[in-house]
Amino acid sequence: MRALHVTLGLAGLALSANAFSAQIALYPTGPSQDSAYLRFVNASESALELAPDGSSATLKLEGAKAVTDFIPVPGGQTIKGTLSRDGNRVPLDVSVAAGDFATVFALDDGHKGIRQVVVNEAFDIPNQLKASLALFNADPGCVDAKVNLADRDVDLFQKAPEGNPRRQELNPRPSLAVQLVCSGSKVGPAVELGPLEANKRYSLLLLPSATGPRLLTATDAVSN
């Protein structure tokens, strides 16, 4: 029954047609395997490259393309490969339960190397009348992290369940601007998310940077 729910629910995720779609066959999946879903976030200004084990395909993240879509991978199996950036190489070794979603953050380790943070999210059936927005926190340096509505002291995730990520359902709207708050103080300028559509899922990614915590936005799209 869970597999059926996941299949139906995925219709609510936008199917991507961007540059990553041509590189989806990174990890083989098939009709006999329950898929899981894996995406990568490059938190550095330098290019990040993923080279999967057993495949000649590669995936590169740089510039404005800092987040991949969710890539189908075999559920419950270990996904291996190599992440490379600035001449440094680290092994990738992650497993995602069938039907679940995982986000791999490639952060700086303070020595120009790569530190991986993996955040898992169990799939839930979306409300087709609502937009779904999640906050993924990969920056422990942002103490008491909150995301307020821009120009209003209203915590957008106050009523969301605890944990990482925190996901909140919102009424669809033509635009939404938010403000990151750390330790009770505003950090950086307000971030414009653009329109939030019903039956679609979105992410706010809280990342460390050389200038302090920052928010990155992404649509939770599944590559086809």
Side-chain angles (χ1 to χ4, degrees):
M1 183 64 69
R2 175 190 168 102
L4 175 60
H5 285 169
V6 170
T7 300
L8 293 175
L10 285 176
L13 293 179
L15 293 178
S16 171
N18 66 18
F20 300 120
S21 297
Q23 305 182 64
I24 292 313
L26 296 173
Y27 295 99
T29 59
S32 63
Q33 298 171 308
D34 289 332
S35 291
Y37 302 89
L38 187 63
R39 73 176 168 186
F40 297 85
V41 180
N42 182 16
S44 172
E45 294 182 358
S46 300
L48 175 76
E49 185 169 292
L50 165 66
D53 282 4
S55 173
S56 60
T58 59
L59 184 151
K60 193 172 186 179
L61 285 173
E62 60 183 336
K65 299 294 185 183
V67 186
T68 71
D69 293 332
F70 280 102
I71 300 166
V73 297
Q77 298 185 24
T78 301
I79 305 302
K80 294 188 176 183
T82 302
L83 293 173
S84 304
R85 189 171 63 202
D86 291 328
N88 295 288
R89 293 162 56 89
V90 297
L92 172 73
D93 190 331
V94 62
S95 178
V96 190
D100 286 357
F101 293 75
T103 300
V104 179
F105 293 90
L107 308 174
D108 290 324
D109 68 353
H111 305 281
K112 294 186 178 181
I114 302 172
R115 179 170 66 91
Q116 298 173 60
V117 172
V118 181
V119 178
N120 290 284
E121 182 178 16
F123 182 80
D124 59 350
I125 301 173
N127 184 331
Q128 296 185 4
L129 301 179
K130 300 279 189 176
S132 182
L133 179 65
L135 172 64
F136 290 75
N137 188 350
D139 186 3
C142 180
V143 179
D144 296 328
K146 293 198 308 180
V147 175
N148 285 350
L149 295 176
D151 300 322
R152 296 178 62 187
D153 188 19
V154 177
D155 182 359
L156 194 60
F157 294 95
Q158 182 178 7
K159 296 181 180 180
E162 292 291 340
N164 191 6
R166 304 184 71 184
R167 186 169 288 278
Q168 180 81 314
E169 290 186 337
L170 303 172
N171 290 325
R173 59 194 70 199
S175 65
L176 180 67
V178 298
Q179 174 67 57
L180 176 63
V181 176
C182 300
S183 301
S185 299
K186 294 181 180 179
V187 176
V191 176
E192 177 60 56
L193 277 68
L196 299 183
E197 299 180 31
N199 202 28
K200 288 190 178 180
R201 293 157 67 95
Y202 304 88
S203 294
L204 284 168
L205 309 168
L206 176 52
L207 307 174
S209 74
T211 57
R214 66 186 179 102
L215 283 177
L216 190 65
T217 65
T219 299
D220 296 0
V222 172
S223 295
N224 53 2

